[in-house]
Amino acid sequence: MFERSRLIIVLKALFQSSRTEDELDEEMRFHLKMETEANVKKGMDLKAAHQAALRSFGGIEQRKEDCREAWGVRVITNLLHEFCLSLRRLFRRPVQNGLMFATFAVSVMLSTLSWSLFHTMFLRQPEFDPKGEYLVLNYVGGVIGASRSSNGEMEAYKEGQKVFSDFAEVGFYNSPTIQLPGGAERVLAANLSARALQIVGAKPLMGRLFRPEEDKRGSAPVALLSQHMWENSYDRDPSIVGKIMDIGSDQVTIVGVMPADFRFPNDQDLWLSYGFYDWGPDAMVKLKPGVTREQAESNLKVILDGLGPDSPANRRGLTPALIPFRDYYLPSEIRVSALVLFALSLIFVVVSCANAANLMLIDFLGRRAEVATSLALGIPRGASIRNVCFQVTMIAMGAVLLSIALLPVAGPFLYDHIDVNLEPYWLNYHFEWHYVGMAFALAGVSAAVTVSAPMVYLLWVDPDKVIREHAYTSRGTGRTLWRRLLLIGQITLLTVLGVSAGLLVRSSYNVGENTWGYPADRVFVGKISAREIEFTVEEPLGSVQRLAIYRRVLDQVTQRLETEAVALAHFSPGYSSGPNITYALGQEEIGEAFNSQVTEGFFDTLGVPFVEGNTLPRENPDDGPVYGVINESLAQKIWPSQDPLQRVLYIRFSGAPASAPSIPIVVCGVVRDFQVSGPVARNNDFILTPLMPRSFVRPGQFIFVRDRIGVPNVRSIRDAVHRADSRLSFYFPSTLGRVIDIMLSSMHMTANLTTVFAAAAVLLCSIGVYSLTVTQVLQSSREFGIRMALGTEPQRLWVHFTCGHLLTTLIGVLIGLFGASQVARVFSPLLFGVDPYSVSTYAMVAFTILLVATLACIPSFFRLRRINPAKCLRSL
Amino acid sequence: MSNENNTLIKLTNINKVFLTDDMETRALSGVDMHIDNGEFMAINGPSGCGKSTMLSIIGLLDTPTSGEYTLNGRDVASLSASERARIRNKEVGFIFQSFNLIGDLSVYENVELPLTYRGTKSSARKELVMEALEKVDMGHRMKHMPSQLSGGQQQRVAVARALAGKPQILLADEPTGNLDSKNGEAVMDLLKNLNDEGATLCIVTHDERYSTYATRSVHLFDGQLVDGDGVMAGV
Amino acid sequence: MDEVFSVLSVDTLSIKFLSLTNLEKEMAKKVNDLLQGTLDMLALRALRDENRHGWAIQQRINQISNDLLSINQGSLYPALIRLEKKGYIKSDWGVSENGRRAKYYRLTKKGRVQMEAEATLWREFSTTINLIMEIL
C-alpha cells in the first residue's frame, strides 16, 4: 500500500513533472495569499503584508527545492542525467575506455565460447534424450579393433535380458557402396531398427519410417535417404518413395526421405533397415528403474557366458559394457581439451578482471583531483561511485553485446575446427540462451571486480582527506602499491597461461611431421576392398586369390608414370593404436611391439630408410621362414651391439589364447624408427611381416602411394585400381598427413586455442603495463619536471623508472613460473614429448613477457620527453 | 561590530590542531572573524600561516577542533559530513588555485555539474549556467573542452561554476596563483565586478597587490589574526 | 534521506544554539531530530478534526502551540510531502472558504494510528520528564 502510493507519486512526478511543479507553485502562492490577507486583517498595508508573508515563508524557490527533495523524484531524473553524462564522458576518453572495452570483449568472447564448448562436451545431451538415460551396449577388452558384437549375441541379449526397459538394435556406422543415378558412390550410412528411429524422434520428410518386421534378418531391405542426398543425387525426385536402389548385389527399396535436421548419429546420408546388416550391431538401451549399470553389465555377462566359449565375443575375450551415449561418441582427449579450455578461460577472466581493475584504478587515481573537486563542490560521494559504476557497466554491456553478436560467427567457426573422426551429430554449434546468460554473468562479475577497487576506495576514504590532499595541493605521485600488486597478480597468471600454452604448442609440434620420420603429407593413403568379389571360402585359397588381385593392383599403380613407390598394408600409421604383440627370444617374453602385414614396398613408400639388411621378400613360400622387418631401437634393445640380421625372435598376439603357439620371425631388415603405432603412441617398436596367404590376407587393405613429385592424384590411382579389377571398391582417399591431422585434431585444437588465449593475455598484459607506465609519467610529471630541471636526462629517468616496472614484472614472472610448474604437473598427461618442467619453454615465456613489458614502457619515453621542466616549475 | 542581521559568517574562537606523527601542529588559534553580506574579504598572509585551513573551515571542507561557526545564523560546526556537503553545494561557491575543471566535461557541463545535485530542473539549470557563463564572458565557449582554453579562461569558467548555484558566498583560494599577472588582474577585476553586483566574496592570497581589490582585509600570521600593521588584534 | 531531514530541521524551527560544548552539540542534534518529528506530528494533529489546506494547517499548529513554536512556514510543505509519501495523509484539490482553488489534506487511517501512537509516546515522555524534574 505504502510502496504503491509512493511509486505512484514518483511516477506521476516523473512523467507529469511540470504539472506537479505547477501544483506545488499554486499551493504555495495560495498559502502566501492567505497569509497576506491575514496580515492585512491585522492592519498592515498590502505591500508590507505581502513582504511579511514572504519573510515568514522563507524563500519560495528554496522551499520548492526542499519539496522536490522530499518527493524523491530527483533521484530518478538525477540518475538519468548522471547516466547521460557518463555516456558522454565514455566517448571523451576513447583510449582508456577503448582499452577497457577490448579487455572485456576479448575475455567475455573467449570465455563464452569455452563455456559453449564445455557445455556441448559435458552437459548437452542428445535432443531425444535430455536426461542422458540411454546407454550403448558395446564390448570392452580383447584384441584391438575387435570390439564388435555378433548378431547372435545381440539377439541373445535382447531375449535374455531382464534389466532394460528399452532395447533398440542399431548399427551406428556402415559405409556401403551404392549405385546412384550419377554412378557408384560410397556413403556414410547407419542401420537402425524401427524402435531406434522412434527413440530418436525421427519424422520423415516424405514416405514412412521402418517397420518392426523390417528389423528381422532376411526381410526385404528398405532405406531412408537424407534430404541432402535426395536433393543432390536424385534431383528432388518427387516420386522417390518406392524406388529401388542397388547396394552391392542387393536391391533396396527407398521408403522415405528424412529432413535435413535429422543427422543421427553422425551426419549420415543413408539409413538402412536393421534386418539388412551383417557386420556386428550395437544397441541403444535404457535401464529399468533401480537397476545400476554394473548390475546390467553382469546380467549381460551371464547371458554371454551361457553362449559357450565358441561364441565370437568369448573367443576374442570381450566383455559386454554399457557406455553413456555421449561418452561413446566423444573421445576422452577432446573432453580433456574442453576441460582444459574452460579452466583456461576462467583463469583468463581473472586476468582480464585484474587488467580492467588496473585500468580502472589508474583512471580513477588519475581523477583524484576531480574527485576532490566534486566533493568540495558538495557533490555526494554516491555520485562519484555511480559514475564509476555506470562507466564500467556500459563498457561491460557493450562487450557482452559485441560478444553475443559475434557468437553466431565465432561459434560455428570454432566447431568447424574441431575435427573429430565420425563426430556425433550434436557436436555442432547450437545457440543456447544460457550462453547469453553466461556472457552477461561473466561480464557482470568482471565489472563487479573492476568496480570494487575504486568503490572501496571511495567508500573508505575520508572525503575531507581527499579534499585536503588534492584540492589545495596539486597532484602528488599517487599510490602505486595497489597497482603494482594488481600488475604482479596479472603477470603471474599470464605466466601460468603462457607456460601452459608453450608446453601445449610444443607438444603438438612434437607430434607433427618432424617426428613422423617420413613425409606424411606426400604419402597417399586410401582403402580398397574386395568384399564385392566372391572368393573361395577355404583358407588359405581365398587369401591366395585375394593376394593375386592385390598384386595386380600394385602392378597397375606402379605402371603410373608418376609412381615412386606403392604398398599395401593391413594398417595405416595414422589409425593404428599401440602394441598388439609380445615378443620373446626364448620362452620368456621381453616386451611389447606392433605387428602388421605389409607388402615389400611399404618402407620405400613411406620413405623410411633401411639401417641394415633388406626389405621383406616379395614371395613367401609356405614352407619357408616368416621374415620380419624391425625398427632400430628394438634391434638395439634385443641384441645390443650385435648384428640382428637373420636372428630369430618369437611373437605372440596379445589377445590370442594361451594355447596358441608363438610364431618365429627371422629378421631380414632393420629400418630407422618412425611413429608406427598412431600419432600419440609412446611405444613405437614394430615387427612388420609380409602380406602372405599363410597369415590370412584381409579383403580390405590400405593402399599407400608416393609419387616422384607432389601428392598423388586420387583419380589416377582409382583408375589404376579399377584397371586391376573393376569390382574392387576404392574409398577414403586421403594423405597420411591428413589422417594424422584428424587423429590429432583435439590436441591441435587445445594447443591452438590455448595459444589464442595466451596471445590475448599478452595483449592484456601489455595494455596493463602500458597504462601503468603512461599514467605514472602523467601523474609524476611534476616530479620528473623537477628532476629534469635539476639536470637529469629524460633517458636516464626513463631507464630508472622502466627498471622499476621490470622488477615488478620480474616478481610476477617468478611467482608465475612456480605456479606454472604446479599447473603443468596437472596436465602433463596431455603432453607429448615435452618435459612438463622444460626449462627452455619456461625461459622463453619469461623472456617474452619481460620483452612485452619493456616494449609497453616505450610509449612512456615519448611522454617523458614531452614534459617541459620550465612549465612544471612555473606551476609550483 | 556590524549589524547582527547583516552578518553572513561568524567565527568565534576557532582553533585547528593537526596531529602529525604524535606532534601537534596548531594551524589556527583563537581566530575571531566575521564576514558581512556584500563584503569582499581578503585573507592575506605568507605561506604556511594557516590561510588555506581557514578557508577550508569557512567553506565547510574541514571542521575546527574547537570554536563556533555560524553561517547565515545557523550553527554549522556540529554538522555531519554529508550535511556539510549539502550546504557546500548550495551556499558556498569555490574557486581553486588550479581551476580544477573536469577534463572530460565541456565548459557547459562543468558549470552545470554542481547544479545537478541540487534538484534544479534542467531548463532552470540551463538558464543558471548560461547566466553564469555570460557573467564571466565565456558564453561563446560553452561547447569547448577545458584543455582548449587558456589558464585565464579556465579560471573564468571556474568562477562561473562557483557562481551558477547563486551561493551565499564565493570562496577563492589563491585564484590568481596559476595565472600570469595580466590574466590574474582580469580575474580579480571579474571578482570585483561580482562584488559590486552584490556577491559576498572571501579570497585567500599571499599577494598584497590583490588585497587592494578587497573591501576589507585581514592578515594571518602563524595561525593568528593580526591587523594591517602586524600587531596582534586585541592586544 | 534521514540526513536530508536533519539538515532541513536546522532551519525548520528558528532556534539558535549558541556556545555549545560537545555534549550540548550532541543534545542539539537530538533535539533537532525530536523537533523534526514534532513538526510532522503537529501537522498530523492539525488534521485530526477536519481536512485543511496548507495555510490552515499552519494556523492550526500555531494555535495548538500557543505561538510558542514559530515555524518557518515554508518548511511545512516538505513535511506534508513526506507525510503523504509515508501514507499518513492524502491530498485533494478543493475550494477554500474564500472561493480559491486549494489543496486539502486529510488524515488516512494509517496516519491516525500513527498520530495516536506518537501522542501516547509524547505523553509518556513528558510525564517521565516531569517526574524527574519534580524528584530533582
Side-chain angles (χ1 to χ4, degrees):
Chain A
M1 192 60 208
F2 159 78
E3 280 306 319
R4 209 181 58 198
S5 62
R6 179 198 168 109
L7 188 72
I8 289 168
I9 290 177
V10 168
L11 285 179
K12 220 166 90 181
L14 190 65
F15 293 111
Q16 311 172 344
S17 179
S18 57
R19 213 182 94 193
T20 321
E21 290 266 326
D22 292 347
E23 283 186 1
L24 185 64
D25 192 57
E26 188 178 348
E27 196 180 1
M28 286 184 172
R29 268 188 288 119
F30 171 76
H31 182 111
L32 285 175
K33 267 188 196 136
M34 294 298 285
E35 183 73 13
T36 312
E37 279 172 19
N39 286 344
V40 169
K41 271 183 198 157
K42 280 183 204 158
M44 292 188 199
D45 70 68
L46 193 63
K47 200 177 168 193
H50 184 65
Q51 271 179 348
L54 270 179
R55 211 168 29 244
S56 59
F57 198 81
I60 292 188
E61 277 310 311
Q62 190 77 22
R63 295 302 149 217
K64 272 191 189 168
E65 264 175 31
D66 291 345
C67 287
R68 287 182 203 119
E69 269 167 17
W71 262 327
V73 174
R74 292 295 151 196
V75 175
I76 293 171
T77 42
N78 274 1
L79 277 181
L80 218 62
H81 181 78
E82 275 175 30
F83 184 76
C84 295
L85 205 61
S86 300
L87 195 69
R88 259 178 284 161
R89 294 179 77 170
L90 217 53
F91 293 101
R92 292 194 187 146
R93 285 171 169 246
V95 176
Q96 178 97 38
N97 292 317
L99 288 177
M100 205 184 287
F101 179 75
T103 303
F104 275 124
V106 166
S107 79
V108 170
M109 183 79 233
L110 288 180
S111 311
T112 310
L113 278 178
S114 308
W115 165 246
S116 114
L117 208 57
F118 180 82
H119 171 255
T120 307
M121 301 278 177
F122 287 92
L123 304 173
R124 199 159 106 201
Q125 297 287 355
E127 276 148 38
F128 65 86
D129 182 24
K131 288 187 192 149
E133 291 168 314
Y134 279 94
L135 302 169
V136 173
L137 169 54
N138 202 260
Y139 285 116
V140 291
V143 181
I144 287 150
S147 58
R148 293 259 169 196
S149 55
S150 75
N151 291 310
E153 286 156 11
M154 206 47 78
E155 274 161 31
Y157 293 143
K158 193 174 182 182
E159 296 306 315
Q161 61 90 9
K162 296 181 188 66
V163 288
F164 304 124
S165 61
D166 204 348
F167 192 104
E169 304 93 329
V170 281
F172 280 122
Y173 168 73
N174 190 1
S175 57
T177 309
I178 58 174
Q179 291 297 326
L180 292 169
E185 200 177 309
R186 199 177 165 97
V187 298
L188 190 59
N191 288 64
L192 300 178
S193 58
R195 176 63 197 148
L197 277 171
Q198 238 174 33
I199 291 173
V200 300
K203 290 196 179 57
L205 189 69
M206 53 200 288
R208 61 165 175 93
L209 297 176
F210 299 145
R211 294 185 179 130
E213 60 266 25
E214 286 157 354
D215 294 349
K216 301 243 159 41
R217 207 141 293 280
S219 60
V222 288
L224 287 164
L225 297 184
S226 70
Q227 189 179 353
H228 174 256
M229 193 172 177
W230 174 57
E231 285 173 357
N232 289 290
S233 304
Y234 287 94
D235 214 9
R236 303 179 70 98
D237 180 359
S239 58
I240 185 77
V241 174
K243 289 220 162 139
I244 305 292
M245 170 195 256
D246 285 332
I247 300 182
S249 52
D250 291 286
Q251 304 241 304
V252 180
T253 313
I254 297 168
V255 295
V257 176
M258 297 306 291
D261 60 354
F262 184 79
R263 317 193 311 135
F264 182 86
N266 22 42
D267 224 354
Q268 257 73 353
D269 264 333
L270 184 68
W271 294 271
L272 299 166
S273 55
Y274 177 68
F276 179 58
Y277 195 56
D278 57 354
W279 192 26
D282 296 301
M284 289 167 69
V285 295
K286 190 171 169 180
L287 294 175
K288 278 184 182 161
V291 179
T292 65
R293 220 196 293 172
E294 289 72 28
Q295 286 166 345
E297 280 173 354
S298 56
N299 176 264
L300 293 172
K301 181 84 179 115
V302 170
I303 297 171
L304 181 63
D305 289 345
L307 293 178
D310 283 339
S311 81
N314 282 335
R315 236 179 334 169
R316 291 178 189 147
L318 300 174
T319 318
L322 295 168
I323 304 159
F325 200 78
R326 198 179 42 214
D327 298 1
Y328 180 72
Y329 267 113
L330 286 172
S332 58
E333 315 94 69
I334 196 157
R335 307 183 83 197
V336 172
S337 301
L339 201 62
V340 168
L341 277 181
F342 191 57
L344 283 179
S345 75
L346 290 183
I347 295 184
F348 190 78
V349 168
V350 176
V351 173
S352 57
C353 279
N355 198 43
N358 205 354
L359 284 169
M360 193 68 228
L361 204 60
I362 285 161
D363 182 31
F364 190 73
L365 290 177
R367 283 198 203 171
R368 280 184 90 198
E370 176 193 314
V371 173
T373 312
S374 305
L375 291 172
L377 293 173
I379 289 163
R381 233 194 290 205
S384 301
I385 296 177
R386 281 195 295 274
N387 183 25
V388 171
C389 293
F390 280 144
Q391 184 190 350
V392 175
T393 310
M394 277 187 282
I395 292 175
M397 287 308 116
V400 169
L401 293 181
L402 182 72
S403 307
I404 293 171
L406 284 179
L407 213 53
V409 184
F413 180 80
L414 174 68
Y415 282 73
D416 280 353
H417 282 74
I418 310 172
D419 225 348
V420 184
N421 202 12
L422 284 183
E423 64 185 49
Y425 75 99
W426 73 93
L427 187 66
N428 57 347
Y429 175 75
H430 183 264
F431 177 79
E432 303 264 358
W433 277 105
H434 59 79
Y435 296 169
V436 175
M438 193 69 178
F440 271 104
L442 285 170
V445 169
S446 309
V449 171
T450 309
V451 164
S452 61
M455 201 123 105
V456 165
Y457 173 80
L458 264 177
L459 285 175
W460 278 359
V461 80
D462 176 10
D464 287 342
K465 206 171 144 215
V466 186
I467 296 166
R468 269 200 299 280
E469 280 176 11
H470 287 272
Y472 287 97
T473 64
S474 294
R475 302 172 201 162
T477 49
R479 257 173 244 163
T480 52
L481 183 71
W482 287 47
R483 285 175 281 161
R484 281 192 192 279
L485 283 178
L486 266 174
L487 192 70
I488 287 178
Q490 204 180 333
I491 285 174
T492 303
L493 287 169
L494 175 71
T495 312
V496 173
L497 211 59
V499 170
S500 311
L503 290 174
L504 287 168
V505 168
R506 278 192 63 184
S507 155
S508 92
Y509 182 74
N510 269 353
V511 292
E513 63 187 71
N514 278 18
T515 54
W516 279 109
Y518 54 88
D521 280 334
R522 283 195 53 209
V523 179
F524 169 89
V525 63
K527 274 193 110 173
I528 54 175
S529 166
R531 280 178 207 277
E532 309 297 330
I533 308 168
E534 282 193 22
F535 297 102
T536 315
V537 180
E538 201 184 321
E539 283 296 328
L541 268 181
S543 287
V544 171
Q545 288 171 356
R546 281 193 288 271
L547 189 59
I549 291 175
Y550 289 142
R551 282 288 167 202
R552 284 213 298 279
V553 170
L554 289 180
D555 290 344
Q556 282 299 329
V557 176
T558 312
Q559 277 171 26
R560 286 170 72 242
L561 287 175
E562 310 91 326
T563 306
E564 165 102 38
V566 57
L568 294 174
H570 274 181
F571 84 109
S572 163
Y575 292 126
S576 54
S577 48
N580 56 353
I581 54 163
T582 56
Y583 56 87
L585 276 183
Q587 283 306 308
E588 210 168 316
E589 286 174 357
I590 301 174
E592 289 188 311
F594 175 77
N595 166 262
S596 186
Q597 293 166 33
V598 298
T599 59
E600 65 283 353
F602 182 77
F603 305 101
D604 280 352
T605 312
L606 258 58
V608 182
F610 276 85
V611 180
E612 269 181 286
N614 284 311
T615 188
L616 303 163
R618 186 186 157 102
E619 301 297 334
N620 292 277
D622 282 354
D623 48 357
V626 179
Y627 286 101
V629 169
I630 65 173
N631 63 314
E632 205 175 348
S633 334
L634 183 65
Q636 300 236 328
K637 225 181 285 173
I638 308 178
W639 300 288
S641 63
Q642 290 175 43
D643 184 8
L645 291 184
Q646 300 306 319
R647 289 183 186 268
V648 180
L649 52 82
Y650 297 87
I651 65 168
R652 173 194 284 281
F653 285 95
S654 305
S659 56
S662 41
I663 305 158
I665 306 284
V666 179
V667 175
C668 67
V670 178
V671 291
R672 213 178 61 192
D673 290 355
F674 72 99
Q675 280 278 337
V676 74
S677 300
V680 292
R682 282 167 167 77
N683 180 348
N684 278 301
D685 290 337
F686 57 84
I687 302 161
L688 296 181
T689 50
L691 195 63
M692 52 187 182
R694 229 194 300 178
S695 48
F696 189 75
V697 175
R698 288 185 195 167
Q701 296 285 338
F702 285 96
I703 178 168
F704 302 90
V705 186
R706 188 157 59 90
D707 278 3
R708 286 171 227 282
I709 304 157
V711 183
N713 177 280
V714 177
R715 181 174 291 273
S716 79
I717 293 173
R718 186 203 303 268
D719 290 348
V721 169
H722 285 149
R723 271 201 302 279
D725 194 313
S726 59
R727 293 168 300 172
L728 284 171
S729 49
F730 172 86
Y731 54 100
F732 293 160
S734 184
T735 63
L736 267 180
R738 172 76 190 137
V739 169
I740 292 161
D741 278 348
I742 290 180
M743 299 307 281
L744 294 178
S745 57
S746 70
M747 183 179 266
H748 283 307
M749 185 186 71
T750 314
N752 291 344
L753 288 179
T754 313
T755 314
V756 170
F757 273 118
V762 168
L763 178 82
L764 293 190
C765 163
S766 51
I767 291 175
V769 177
Y770 161 78
S771 48
L772 186 62
T773 54
V774 166
T775 37
Q776 194 168 17
V777 170
L778 286 179
Q779 289 202 325
S780 323
S781 59
R782 166 174 294 186
E783 184 198 326
F784 289 140
I786 297 168
R787 285 179 187 221
M788 281 188 218
L790 294 176
T792 319
E793 295 153 20
Q795 289 90 325
R796 279 185 57 192
L797 219 49
W798 182 77
V799 167
H800 174 76
F801 121 139
T802 302
C803 283
H805 283 294
L806 289 184
L807 191 69
T808 312
T809 315
L810 193 66
I811 294 170
V813 165
L814 289 178
I815 303 173
L817 288 180
F818 174 75
S821 67
Q822 302 300 307
V823 172
R825 218 173 50 190
V826 176
F827 69 85
S828 57
L830 276 181
L831 297 179
F832 180 78
V834 185
D835 180 8
Y837 306 109
S838 149
V839 175
S840 55
T841 310
Y842 283 55
M844 194 60 199
V845 170
F847 175 75
T848 310
I849 293 174
L850 286 173
L851 184 71
V852 167
T854 317
L855 290 178
C857 284
I858 288 177
S860 62
F861 177 66
F862 296 100
R863 293 252 181 191
L864 206 62
R865 283 185 52 166
R866 282 213 297 271
I867 292 176
N868 180 348
K871 216 171 160 186
C872 287
L873 288 181
R874 217 180 308 139
S875 71
L876 265 180
Chain B
M1 206 69 188
S2 62
N3 179 8
E4 181 76 29
N5 289 336
N6 202 24
T7 305
L8 182 63
I9 282 169
K10 186 166 164 51
L11 299 173
T12 318
N13 196 20
I14 294 287
N15 289 293
K16 180 70 186 179
V17 179
F18 289 112
L19 281 174
T20 42
D21 298 335
D22 300 329
M23 207 180 71
E24 276 193 7
T25 313
R26 195 164 268 273
L28 294 174
S29 52
V31 172
D32 291 308
M33 198 183 83
H34 67 95
I35 300 173
D36 292 341
N37 276 320
E39 254 191 321
F40 188 162
M41 168 71 104
I43 302 173
N44 296 312
S47 31
C49 68
K51 299 186 305 265
S52 291
T53 311
M54 181 92 172
L55 204 70
S56 296
I57 290 171
I58 295 175
L60 293 167
L61 288 173
D62 212 344
T63 47
T65 314
S66 65
E68 286 147 31
Y69 176 14
T70 33
L71 172 65
N72 212 6
R74 170 197 329 169
D75 174 60
V76 287
S78 62
L79 298 180
S80 76
S82 48
E83 287 164 344
R84 277 188 281 131
R86 201 163 286 276
I87 294 176
R88 270 205 306 276
N89 186 245
K90 284 192 181 165
E91 296 179 18
V92 182
F94 269 102
I95 300 159
F96 304 95
Q97 175 179 2
S98 45
F99 326 137
N100 283 340
L101 296 181
I102 291 166
D104 54 2
L105 293 183
S106 68
V107 164
Y108 178 86
E109 287 161 346
N110 259 294
V111 177
E112 186 192 26
L113 196 64
L115 296 177
T116 312
Y117 298 96
R118 302 176 52 171
T120 320
K121 266 169 56 175
S122 73
S123 55
R125 244 178 359 232
K126 185 161 186 184
E127 250 167 59
L128 288 169
V129 172
M130 290 313 297
E131 192 189 325
L133 281 174
E134 288 303 333
K135 243 181 213 170
V136 299
D137 200 18
M138 289 296 293
H140 57 298
R141 295 286 180 118
M142 64 180 210
K143 292 254 162 66
H144 288 227
M145 302 303 282
S147 57
Q148 295 167 304
L149 303 178
S150 74
Q153 287 172 321
Q154 286 193 39
Q155 192 59 300
R156 266 148 63 194
V157 174
V159 172
R161 179 174 65 186
L163 270 181
K166 299 202 183 301
Q168 303 261 17
I169 184 165
L170 278 179
L171 300 178
D173 185 18
E174 303 272 10
T176 57
N178 280 6
L179 299 174
D180 56 43
S181 61
K182 189 168 144 265
N183 273 313
E185 274 166 30
V187 166
M188 289 309 292
D189 284 336
L190 174 65
L191 293 179
K192 183 72 192 154
N193 283 342
L194 291 173
N195 177 241
D196 291 344
E197 288 168 25
T200 313
L201 281 126
C202 177
I203 73 163
V204 154
T205 177
H206 66 273
D207 196 330
E208 292 286 340
R209 276 180 304 164
Y210 296 129
S211 308
T212 56
Y213 285 87
T215 51
R216 191 157 68 93
S217 65
V218 293
H219 295 257
L220 257 180
F221 189 77
D222 274 352
Q224 289 182 302
L225 277 184
V226 295
D227 70 9
D229 302 322
V231 181
M232 291 273 189
V235 176
Chain C
M1 268 335 234
D2 288 337
E3 288 160 7
V4 179
F5 297 157
S6 42
V7 175
L8 292 172
S9 69
V10 175
D11 58 338
T12 299
L13 305 165
S14 44
I15 294 173
K16 286 178 188 167
F17 301 100
L18 296 169
S19 318
L20 299 178
T21 64
N22 275 342
L23 182 71
E24 284 169 326
K25 278 182 195 168
E26 282 289 301
M27 278 291 292
K29 205 166 157 13
K30 281 190 181 138
V31 172
N32 270 341
D33 291 347
L34 221 54
L35 292 173
Q36 164 66 41
T38 315
L39 177 61
D40 288 9
M41 202 196 72
L42 288 173
L44 289 178
R45 176 78 174 71
L47 289 170
R48 191 180 71 176
D49 304 320
E50 58 179 298
N51 299 346
R52 291 171 204 271
H53 49 72
W55 185 76
I57 294 172
Q58 168 73 43
Q59 295 302 309
R60 178 73 182 140
I61 289 174
N62 285 351
Q63 196 190 335
I64 297 171
S65 66
N66 289 333
D67 289 324
L68 277 178
L69 292 166
S70 85
I71 293 174
N72 191 331
Q73 297 188 4
S75 319
L76 179 68
Y77 289 93
L80 288 173
I81 287 170
R82 274 197 307 274
L83 290 170
E84 191 166 0
K85 257 169 70 177
K86 285 183 186 160
Y88 296 155
I89 57 172
K90 276 198 183 289
S91 65
D92 296 297
W93 285 93
V95 180
S96 73
E97 55 277 15
N98 53 10
R100 290 206 188 90
R101 214 168 93 90
K103 202 175 198 175
Y104 278 85
Y105 294 88
R106 63 187 156 83
L107 213 54
T108 62
K109 219 178 255 173
K110 194 176 167 187
R112 201 167 288 279
V113 172
Q114 173 71 15
M115 189 198 66
E116 299 296 344
E118 275 188 33
T120 316
L121 204 69
W122 262 103
R123 246 173 257 128
E124 282 171 7
F125 181 65
S126 53
T127 316
T128 316
I129 297 284
N130 286 340
L131 270 174
I132 292 169
M133 296 312 270
E134 274 165 32
I135 290 164
L136 288 174

